[in-house]
């Protein structure tokens, strides 16, 4: 069921409806009266192939205010306005959408959209906290241009990202086992500047880190995604912190702490010793052979482990290894786990299979407590879920 509340972003919900319908889902749209002022009933009805009602007085014999909630596999509300969040928090049932929210026993995903002032208002923030505590997935709004010339957090997340978040909730048995947890995930590859136009980078796409963030959100966590350079869109519903270099990433990871920290970023191990303020010109280079002096960067993972007091946060590292055979991979993983001192290490073999940019991955997850779990080639979303299955009992 797609609920649409009355905000200007209602027009973007048309794309959410199309995305869900094109993926084969049977969608019933329930707009509020205010939503119909932005996008009319014929649009919702034509695209969903179903009649559309906003009040509880249509098709009474069908008892829609109870049936819709009881039979839905998932309810998604996009946009969720400040008013809708407030009514949902207090159990107000004064139209078909809010009645449905009270009868729904399936996962509920809300994608808020409103002006920044309304989003950061203590009333809205308190409502969001209560809804999250009840297990409702309230995605973080995106930041950017709002209705007028102003910018800030409050934009509806990208419709395709909302569709992906809903698909993720539908893909597996609903679980809210990460609710109440703050999780900080780094993803993507860092760029180490050589001059204003050149950098040293790596082949990481950031897909695995993005899937970790997406799945953690749909399991109820509050996720901060510290994103170095990504080749994929960040997921809906995360607090996004953009960084570029290893040093930026280190500073962001120190600033944003959580109950769980996952270092999925491909952090450069070395950077140019000096960054030229101006583009290095060819004619200044001496001869054909050019060499560059490099210095090592901060080891973010090892530093985070050293900085923590006691066993919190739980820290997960990743390892990219090229091994000759499986036992060799395990040996390399065990020695990296000991060297970094983290709690869990997700070991990737990057030599023989295509990992960078691929949608699939096979990994071994090692634990400082002796854990060793093999995950055969699966989607990066499944690998992410397998990791959360191991993390959840360790932090609850
Ligand atoms: N990592 C980090 N800071 C660095 C390098 C790596 O925090 N400067 C983190 C990565 O995010 C990952 C883990 O350390 O979680 C292992 O990264 P990997 O590239 O496999 O290992 P390295 O530490 O770089 O060691 P080596 O390249 O020698 O295998």
């Amino acid at each position: 069921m797609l609920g649409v509340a009355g905000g200007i972003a209602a027009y973007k919900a048309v794309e959410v409806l199309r995305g869900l319908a094109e993926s084969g889902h049977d969608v019933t749209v329930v707009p509020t009266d205010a939503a119909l002022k932005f996008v009319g009933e014929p649009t919702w009805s034509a695209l969903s192939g179903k009649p559309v009602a906003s009040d509880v007085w249509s098709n009474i014999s069908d008892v829609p205010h109870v049936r819709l909630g009881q039979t839905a596999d998932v309810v998604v509300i996009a946009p969720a306005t400040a008013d809708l969040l407030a009514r949902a928090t207090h159990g107000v049932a004064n139209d078909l959408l809010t009645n449905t929210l009270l009868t729904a026993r399936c996962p509920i995903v809300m994608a808020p959209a409103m002006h920044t002032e309304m989003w950061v208002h203590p009333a809205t923030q308190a409502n969001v906290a209560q809804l999250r505590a009840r297990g409702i997935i309230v995605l973080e709004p995106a930041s950017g241009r709002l209705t007028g010339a102003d910018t800030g957090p409050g934009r509806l997340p990208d419709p395709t990202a909302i569709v992906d978040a809903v698909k993720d909730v539908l893909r597996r048995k609903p679980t809210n086992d990460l609710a109440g947890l703050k999780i900080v995930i780094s993803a993507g590859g860092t760029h180490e500047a050589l001059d204003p136009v050149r950098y040293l980078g790596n082949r990481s796409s950031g897909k695995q880190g993005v899937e970790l963030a997406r799945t953690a959100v749909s399991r109820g966590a509050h996720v901060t995604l510290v994103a170095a350079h990504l080749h994929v869109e960040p997921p809906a519903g995360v607090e996004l912190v953009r960084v570029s270099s290893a040093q930026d990433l280190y500073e962001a990871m120190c600033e944003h702490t959580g109950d769980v920290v996952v270092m999925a970023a491909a952090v450069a191990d070395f950077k140019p010793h000096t960054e030229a303020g101006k583009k290095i010109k060819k004619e200044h280079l001496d001869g054909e052979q050019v060499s560059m002096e490099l210095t090592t960067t901060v080891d973010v993972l090892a530093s985070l482990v050293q900085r923590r007091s006691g066993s919190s946060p739980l820290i997960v590292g990743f390892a990219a290894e090229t091994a000759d055979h499986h036992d060799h991979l395990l040996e390399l993983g065990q020695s990296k786990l000991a060297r970094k001192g983290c709690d869990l290490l997700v070991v990737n073999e990057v030599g023989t299979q295509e990992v960078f940019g691929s949608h699939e991955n096979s990994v071994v997850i090692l634990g400082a407590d002796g854990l060793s779990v093999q995950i055969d080639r699966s989607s990066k979303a499944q690998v992410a879920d397998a990791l959360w299955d191991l993390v959840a009992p360790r932090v609850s």
Side-chain angles (χ1 to χ4, degrees), residues 263 265 267-269 297-301 317-320 336 339-340:
M263 278 296 301
V267 188
D269 289 323
T297 56
V298 53
D299 188 320
V300 185
L301 177 59
F318 269 69
K336 191 165 281 180
R339 211 166 57 241
K340 303 274 186 178

Side-chain angles (χ1 to χ4, degrees), residues 77 79-91 108-141 153-154 176 179-181 217 220-223 237-239:
I77 303 192
T81 55
D83 174 68
L84 189 281
L85 293 172
R87 288 191 288 145
T89 304
H90 297 286
I108 298 175
V109 180
M110 295 189 178
M114 65 198 75
H115 266 81
T116 304
E117 291 82 350
M118 299 172 85
W119 172 248
V120 299
H121 193 284
T124 305
Q125 288 300 307
N127 291 337
V128 168
Q130 264 202 54
L131 291 168
R132 283 182 174 151
R134 266 185 231 149
I136 291 176
I137 298 159
V138 184
L139 302 175
E140 281 294 306
N176 232 356
L181 293 178
V217 167
H222 179 282
V223 176
V238 298
E239 185 188 339

Side-chain angles (χ1 to χ4, degrees), residues 220-241:
H222 179 282
V223 176
T224 302
L225 180 65
V226 176
H229 299 271
L230 302 176
H231 299 180
V232 289
E233 285 300 312
V238 298
E239 185 188 339
L240 188 64
V241 179

Side-chain angles (χ1 to χ4, degrees), residues 149-380:
D150 45 347
T151 58
R155 266 169 76 93
L156 187 75
D158 187 63
T160 51
I162 296 175
V163 171
D164 285 347
V166 173
K167 284 188 193 162
D168 196 66
V169 168
L170 288 170
R171 188 174 52 80
R172 69 169 116 70
K173 217 163 76 246
T175 168
N176 232 356
D177 55 357
L178 302 179
L181 293 178
K182 200 167 179 305
I183 301 185
V184 185
I185 300 168
S186 72
T190 64
H191 286 182
E192 309 303 323
L194 175 60
D195 68 16
V197 295
R198 303 182 180 95
Y199 59 81
L200 290 184
N202 60 65
R203 296 181 60 203
S204 167
S205 65
K207 270 188 192 140
Q208 185 63 71
V210 163
E211 289 306 331
L212 281 162
R214 190 196 319 284
T215 47
V217 167
S218 71
R219 292 171 80 141
H222 179 282
V223 176
T224 302
L225 180 65
V226 176
H229 299 271
L230 302 176
H231 299 180
V232 289
E233 285 300 312
V238 298
E239 185 188 339
L240 188 64
V241 179
R242 298 265 189 197
V243 295
S244 185
S245 66
Q247 183 62 29
D248 297 342
L249 191 135
Y250 171 66
E251 286 165 21
M253 295 304 285
C254 291
E255 193 182 325
H256 298 273
T257 50
D259 305 293
V260 181
V261 171
V262 183
M263 278 296 301
V267 188
D269 289 323
F270 34 78
K271 61 177 180 184
H273 181 59
T274 46
E275 181 185 344
K278 289 192 174 143
K279 187 181 173 203
I280 300 169
K281 302 295 278 179
K282 248 192 309 217
E283 62 261 31
H284 298 152
L285 302 175
D286 193 18
E288 272 177 28
Q289 204 170 334
V290 178
S291 53
M292 185 197 298
E293 211 174 322
L294 301 173
T295 40
T296 52
T297 56
V298 53
D299 188 320
V300 185
L301 177 59
S303 311
L304 293 175
V305 170
Q306 273 159 22
R307 284 168 62 100
R308 76 174 162 180
S309 53
S311 57
S312 179
L314 183 113
I315 300 183
V316 183
F318 269 69
E321 304 292 355
T322 48
D324 304 334
H325 48 79
H326 189 69
D327 286 348
H328 185 209
L329 181 70
L330 290 181
E331 268 168 42
L332 292 170
Q334 290 294 2
S335 84
K336 191 165 281 180
L337 178 67
R339 211 166 57 241
K340 303 274 186 178
C342 54
D343 302 293
L344 295 170
L345 188 75
V346 183
V347 187
N348 259 306
E349 213 291 307
V350 293
T352 54
Q353 55 175 8
E354 190 55 55
V355 174
F356 299 114
S358 161
H359 290 286
E360 293 191 322
N361 213 356
S362 63
V363 300
V364 184
I365 304 178
L366 301 176
D369 53 5
L371 174 95
S372 176
V373 177
Q374 168 78 38
I375 314 285
D376 290 329
R377 200 152 179 83
S378 335
S379 72
K380 288 186 174 175

Side-chain angles (χ1 to χ4, degrees), residues 7-14 38 78-79 113 156:
I8 191 94
Y11 78 93
K12 294 188 187 165
V14 174
F38 290 99
L156 187 75

